[in-house]
Amino acid sequence: GLDVWSKIECHANPTTAPFASQSDRNVGGSNVVTGGTGTGGTTTSNPDDRLEGVHPDLVCLVNAAHRYSSIPFQVTSGHRESSSTAGDSRHLYGLAVDAHPIINGVVDNSHGSGMRDGNAPPNANYRAINAAFTRARQDCNNVQFQWGGSSPTFMGGRYYDSMHFQLPRNQYPNR
């Protein structure tokens, strides 16, 4: 009855090929292992996170945020080839991710965007994920990020986007 303690599953690391050369930034601190130190590698603590093509600094934040989050979450969208919401979406460049809480084992994306919620501010689950990202900065060389749930003006005055986390344009221009 203890097979769960003896079973090990390996998952491939997400690739970050578009950003392979990072000589100008130290991006250590992205490996998260339960009870570990949060240093080295790019392995996430949620193997279902969609981090392929995402900038290493943002991967570091996601991985460390898993360690600090009071609730489990999953990155459901990272790098995208196209965007239906904005032609200059940070997702197109691997500079943004969408993270949703996992409630009772299921990814709950029902309250991440104000478009569905009539401009409602972020609920407690998204605030908890943001708090984890904020704390994760300490493990990632104080990498700055912006959260779509910070105000409705974040998305051009249209709505809160509580699921959205991105690297700042002034520090990480679209490439």
Side-chain angles (χ1 to χ4, degrees):
L2 296 177
D3 62 41
V4 71
W5 294 104
S6 61
K7 184 178 180 183
I8 298 174
E9 293 181 13
C10 296
H11 299 276
N13 287 339
T15 61
T16 56
F19 303 101
S21 174
Q22 291 296 317
S23 58
D24 60 328
R25 294 189 63 86
N26 176 0
V27 294
S30 58
N31 182 26
V32 174
V33 178
T34 303
T37 62
T39 59
T42 58
T43 304
T44 179
S45 60
N46 184 340
D48 295 322
D49 280 344
R50 295 187 180 157
L51 296 175
E52 186 170 340
V54 173
H55 193 285
D57 289 352
L58 192 49
V59 170
C60 180
L61 281 173
V62 169
N63 291 333
H66 279 295
R67 178 173 164 203
Y68 296 117
S69 186
S70 60
I71 61 166
F73 67 90
Q74 180 180 330
V75 172
T76 59
S77 180
H79 177 260
R80 298 182 198 152
E81 295 297 320
S82 64
S83 174
S84 61
T85 57
D88 67 342
S89 169
R90 305 293 279 160
H91 288 282
L92 298 174
Y93 306 96
L95 301 170
V97 296
D98 291 340
H100 294 283
I102 298 174
I103 309 297
N104 297 323
V106 177
V107 175
D108 179 11
N109 62 1
S110 61
H111 300 287
S113 172
M115 289 176 19
R116 292 186 200 103
D117 298 337
N119 207 27
N123 70 25
N125 293 328
Y126 288 99
R127 289 193 310 269
I129 295 170
N130 178 57
F133 269 74
T134 300
R135 186 165 177 209
R137 292 177 54 230
Q138 69 189 5
D139 289 2
C140 300
N141 298 315
N142 207 29
V143 169
Q144 301 296 309
F145 73 93
Q146 297 169 318
W147 178 43
S150 60
S151 84
T153 60
F154 179 82
M155 296 299 293
R158 296 180 302 194
Y159 55 89
Y160 288 94
D161 194 4
S162 303
M163 65 189 156
H164 186 85
F165 296 85
Q166 72 179 30
L167 298 174
R169 289 180 189 273
N170 64 343
Q171 296 173 19
Y172 299 83
N174 292 350
R175 300 182 205 242

